[in-house]
Amino acid sequence: MKLIHGTNQHGTGIKSGSQFTGTVHSYLTMPATDNVVINTVNFTPGARTYWHQHEHGQILQVLAGEGVVCTDADGIRRLRAGDTVWCPPGERHWHGAAADSFMVHTAISLGQTSWAEPVTQEEYEAPKAEGDADVQ
Ligand code: MN
């Protein structure tokens, strides 16, 4: 068993550059353990990840605010506090805050994460998919 006390969290810091566009505050909730890593990530308005994929998938749990998640197949879907997203193994996607809101999510990542190119402003501002109240 491994118990990670909240007060002992490390890795807290502002991230930008090779994985994120905009200002993102992230802390390592659980360092990589048995190929699972958990990050709690606070995206400022307009901030988002680069395109990327997870070797064995990823679970996102939105704790606060409003955000977006996007895949090639599904387009951009809105996220709100309480939403949960399953990103299947190897599916290219990105996630982040809405343009006018912070968004905090827990990200449970399985296996290696492979990072690709930034999400362009055009991609970020693309129309949201219909029926965006549900994430399925
Ligand atoms: Mn992801």
Side-chain angles (χ1 to χ4, degrees), residues 13-100:
I14 296 175
K15 294 194 172 183
S16 63
S18 61
Q19 299 174 355
F20 298 97
T21 297
T23 300
V24 175
H25 300 255
S26 178
Y27 66 82
L28 198 52
T29 302
M30 185 179 80
T33 303
D34 294 334
N35 228 12
V36 179
V37 62
I38 305 178
N39 288 285
T40 303
V41 189
N42 187 331
F43 296 88
T44 60
R48 65 268 187 180
T49 68
Y50 283 20
W51 284 97
H52 63 281
Q53 55 190 288
H54 306 281
E55 182 183 12
H56 298 302
Q58 182 185 50
I59 298 154
L60 303 175
Q61 294 187 295
V62 182
L63 304 176
E66 296 183 10
V68 287
V69 61
C70 180
T71 68
D72 289 322
D74 295 313
I76 298 178
R77 308 293 297 270
R78 294 179 196 276
L79 296 175
R80 296 180 181 83
D83 289 346
T84 299
V85 183
W86 168 243
C87 304
E91 183 174 62
R92 261 172 58 89
H93 66 279
W94 57 267
H95 30 105
D100 59 354

Side-chain angles (χ1 to χ4, degrees), residues 97-115:
D100 59 354
S101 176
F102 284 80
M103 192 272 281
V104 184
H105 71 37
T106 298
I108 303 168
S109 304
L110 311 177
Q112 295 299 307
T113 299
S114 301
W115 294 95

